[in-house]
């Protein structure tokens, strides 16, 4: 192990015995009591030294026997320590890809904020390369979303859509202007390849046997260009995903409103069918309206503001990455909405409905959360009280928080 204090967190002394790691309410915490000698020793925890060399440095600084080990263990338990050589074989292989890491060092630093075990952030970044995601829909939202996933290190991003690129599909990060007239799916795939930090791993190196068949997708994102399908997704469109147990996430823009979610865990959380049944309970005319919207003549130009579409693509990609990294983002069991011109994001729950054939209501909605209840034996670790109150005030109602 080559211990390293997580460089993503700013460090400062609150007083002579208390160190604060981090600035923002979401991740800031204090550690103490900490003497000045131990505080100086923190600068040596930069990933360039193993434990034996660190112990030697501790003796040179006249630190008591065992103090270095206790300090390292305390920082590790607090989630403040990383391992410059940790993460397993896949992480070791990734470290040899300098160009890849140079592109994704900001992403790696961000992952370190939400992981606890030393080396875990690098392990999760390496795991992204073996993930396969399919994006269904390559309009202003879908094409950008697919590029973001590839750019964040997801090794296999596939895009499905029909037709040809229209001028209204062009968006930064998605279809370029010179792609107008090209097949929409091919143009989106080129955008994915441009965004990727390196060539995707081969199917066999990613754990897919050339003879053993296809293991399926880790996640499917449904980002339809049809605004009715965005606002009122047809349960039939996800029937095969539900049958195969494939997690899927909805995203899109309809009439100046951006929508992200729900992220459906088949058989466990509310799905498109649950959404339809719940809406029908509230509004008996809902099925009649849906039938008219789906059968009516489509508008030539759908209202899909470029900045809102890009915002939706970014948020949906963030939720997708959180799920791929083993988290439960707030779109599990909820739908996030944001409308122009106010641009206030709000979450609406999508609960499992007893009338839906997905049977999620029968099994009950599990909370996909894990709280770190560990204690610290030698140092007190806590969030600054003022920051803690601010964090609670800023947390929207109905959001989910996942901790390792």
């Amino acid at each position: 192990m080559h211990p390293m204090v997580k460089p993503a967190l700013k460090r400062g002394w609150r007083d002579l015995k208390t160190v604060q790691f981090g600035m923002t309410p979401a991740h800031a915490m204090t550690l103490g009591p900490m003497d000045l000698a131990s505080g100086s020793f923190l600068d040596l925890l930069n990933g360039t030294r193993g434990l034996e060399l660190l112990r030697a440095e501790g003796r040179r600084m006249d630190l008591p026997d065992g103090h270095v080990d206790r300090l390292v263990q305390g920082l590790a338990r607090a989630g403040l320590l990383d391992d410059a050589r940790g993460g397993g074989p896949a992480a070791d292989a990734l470290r040899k890809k300098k160009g890849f890491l140079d592109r994704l060092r900001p992403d790696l630093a961000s992952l370190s904020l939400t992981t606890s075990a030393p080396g875990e952030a690098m392990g999760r970044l390496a795991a992204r390369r073996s993930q396969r995601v399919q994006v269904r829909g390559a309009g202003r939202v879908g094409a950008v979303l697919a590029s973001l996933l590839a750019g964040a290190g997801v090794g296999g991003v596939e895009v499905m859509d029909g037709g040809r690129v229209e001028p209204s599909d062009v968006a930064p990060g998605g279809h370029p202007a010179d792609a107008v007239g090209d097949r929409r799916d091919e143009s989106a795939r080129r955008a994915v390849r441009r965004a990727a930090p390196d060539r995707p791993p081969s199917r066999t190196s990613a754990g897919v046997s050339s003879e053993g068949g296809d293991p399926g997708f880790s996640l499917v994102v449904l980002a339809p260009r049809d605004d009715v399908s965005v606002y009122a997704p047809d349960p039939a469109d996800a029937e095969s995903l539900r049958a195969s147990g494939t997690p899927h996430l909805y995203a899109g823009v309809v009439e100046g409103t951006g929508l992200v979610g729900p992220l459906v865990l088949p058989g466990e959380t509310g799905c498109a069918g649950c959404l339809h049944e719940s809406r029908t309970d509230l509004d008996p005319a809902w099925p009649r309206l849906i039938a008219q919207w789906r059968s009516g003549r489509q508008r030539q130009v759908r209202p899909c503001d470029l900045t809102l579409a890009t915002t939706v693509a970014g948020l949906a990609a963030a939720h997708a990455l959180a799920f791929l990294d083993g988290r439960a983002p707030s779109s599990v069991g909820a739908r996030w909405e944001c409308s122009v011109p106010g641009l206030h994001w709000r979450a609406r729950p999508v609960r499992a409905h007893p009338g839906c054939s997905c049977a999620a209501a029968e099994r009950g909605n599990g909370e996909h959360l894990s709280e770190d209840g560990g204690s610290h034996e030698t140092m007190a670790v806590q969030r600054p009280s003022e920051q803690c109150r601010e964090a609670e005030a800023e947390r929207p109602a109905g959001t989910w928080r996942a901790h390792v």
Side-chain angles (χ1 to χ4, degrees):
M1 181 178 180
H2 281 60
M4 174 175 61
V5 175
K6 291 181 178 178
L9 294 171
K10 294 286 188 182
R11 190 165 79 231
W13 290 83
R14 296 183 65 86
D15 53 46
L16 292 178
K17 294 185 177 182
T18 309
V19 182
Q20 178 170 322
F21 295 83
M23 298 184 291
T24 63
H27 302 292
M29 66 176 64
T30 62
L31 191 64
M34 177 80 69
D35 58 79
L36 293 178
S38 297
S40 299
F41 187 81
L42 293 178
D43 293 331
L44 301 180
L45 298 175
N46 56 15
T48 63
R49 301 170 179 85
L51 282 173
E52 286 299 324
L53 185 55
L54 287 171
R55 293 182 186 116
E57 292 285 354
R59 288 191 293 270
R60 187 180 61 82
M61 297 173 64
D62 294 326
L63 294 176
D65 290 341
H67 186 77
V68 168
D69 290 82
R70 288 192 294 271
L71 179 61
V72 168
Q73 292 167 7
L75 291 167
R77 282 195 295 266
L80 295 170
L81 201 68
D82 211 340
D83 182 359
R85 298 188 182 182
D92 291 338
L94 195 60
R95 290 187 182 92
K96 299 177 182 178
K97 296 179 173 292
K98 185 177 182 302
F100 183 97
L101 277 183
D102 286 345
R103 279 275 301 271
L104 295 183
R105 287 196 188 281
D107 303 77
L108 178 61
S110 181
L111 276 172
S112 75
L113 298 177
T114 59
T115 54
S116 294
E120 186 179 357
M122 178 63 87
R124 293 198 178 190
L125 186 64
R128 286 183 184 179
R129 298 190 76 240
S130 64
Q131 303 276 11
R132 294 183 61 216
V133 177
Q134 184 184 69
V135 179
R136 298 184 181 180
R140 279 188 162 185
V141 173
V144 174
L145 194 159
S147 297
L148 288 171
L149 292 176
V154 178
V157 180
E158 301 183 15
V159 185
M160 283 183 55
D161 206 344
R164 297 188 177 275
V165 177
E166 301 175 3
S168 57
D169 292 322
V170 173
H175 300 290
D178 59 9
V180 172
D182 294 348
R183 284 182 49 179
R184 190 177 276 112
D185 56 353
E186 286 294 337
S187 173
R189 290 166 190 159
R190 290 196 298 269
V192 165
R193 289 193 292 270
R194 287 194 301 269
D198 70 345
R199 295 181 61 183
S202 66
R203 300 293 293 279
T204 52
S205 66
V208 181
S209 170
S210 58
E211 299 179 358
D214 189 337
F217 296 101
S218 305
L219 177 70
V220 171
V221 182
L222 296 100
R225 290 177 289 110
D226 171 45
D227 48 7
V228 178
S229 296
V230 172
Y231 190 59
D234 189 343
D237 293 340
E239 181 58 36
S240 62
L241 300 175
R242 195 180 75 180
S244 63
T246 303
H248 46 285
L249 171 68
Y250 293 90
V253 173
V254 53
E255 296 181 352
T257 296
L259 301 171
V260 176
L263 197 165
V264 180
L265 308 180
E268 298 181 38
T269 65
C271 64
C274 297
L275 183 64
H276 176 78
E277 295 292 342
S278 297
R279 191 60 185 267
T280 302
D281 289 345
L282 295 172
D283 182 3
W286 179 251
R288 187 181 307 117
L289 290 171
I290 291 297
Q292 294 175 69
W293 291 338
R294 288 177 179 160
S295 62
R297 191 170 71 89
Q298 296 292 328
R299 291 188 297 268
Q300 293 300 310
V301 179
R302 300 179 180 89
C304 183
D305 177 84
L306 178 61
T307 55
L308 181 59
T310 305
T311 300
V312 168
L315 184 62
H319 281 241
L321 287 171
F323 175 76
L324 295 175
D325 291 336
R327 306 293 187 179
S330 57
S331 54
V332 174
R335 195 184 206 189
W336 285 95
E337 301 179 3
C338 176
S339 301
V340 295
L343 300 175
H344 299 296
W345 283 102
R346 56 192 177 276
R348 301 188 184 278
V350 180
R351 299 184 176 90
H353 193 282
C356 181
S357 60
C358 73
E362 297 176 8
R363 301 180 188 180
N365 285 329
E367 293 188 358
H368 302 271
L369 301 173
S370 62
E371 295 293 336
D372 181 10
S375 60
H376 201 295
E377 296 178 1
T378 59
M379 295 183 227
V381 182
Q382 61 182 23
R383 298 192 183 280
S385 58
E386 181 177 354
Q387 290 182 327
C388 188
R389 288 194 296 270
E390 290 175 358
E392 292 299 322
E394 291 178 3
R395 188 186 308 166
T399 58
W400 300 53
R401 299 201 60 191
H403 300 275
V404 174

